[in-house]
Amino acid sequence: MPGTAPRLAALLWALLIALTPAAAAWARPVGTADGPGDVALAIGVTTAAAVATGLWLRSRYRRDDPEDSGAGREDGGPGGGDR
């Protein structure tokens, strides 16, 4: 059973889509697009997309058994045994 990460990622994407003003699609250039508000908006949208993607990838490729990851083994791979 997957955790809450897929639900959280879906919620973040839904909020991003719902809170984006519809007028943004019809906006005409009225000056420079490099104002502080535009830069902050671009950083916020990019961060939200990166977080949603990271949560989705984390939930998709999560390993259930920490011993299967190979962490702490000399060769880094699964298998082997006690020395």
Side-chain angles (χ1 to χ4, degrees):
M1 169 187 250
T4 59
R7 291 184 184 131
L8 183 61
L11 176 65
L12 287 175
W13 276 112
L15 286 174
L16 177 67
I17 292 169
L19 296 177
T20 302
W26 295 287
R28 293 173 301 196
V30 292
T32 180
D34 293 331
D38 296 322
V39 173
L41 179 65
I43 291 171
V45 169
T46 303
T47 301
V51 167
T53 303
L55 288 172
W56 175 76
L57 286 171
R58 181 177 179 230
S59 69
R60 183 166 174 90
Y61 295 107
R62 177 176 292 166
R63 295 185 178 166
D64 293 331
D65 189 10
E67 291 185 16
D68 287 341
S69 67
R73 294 202 174 102
E74 188 173 272
D75 63 351
D82 294 335
R83 297 182 346 145

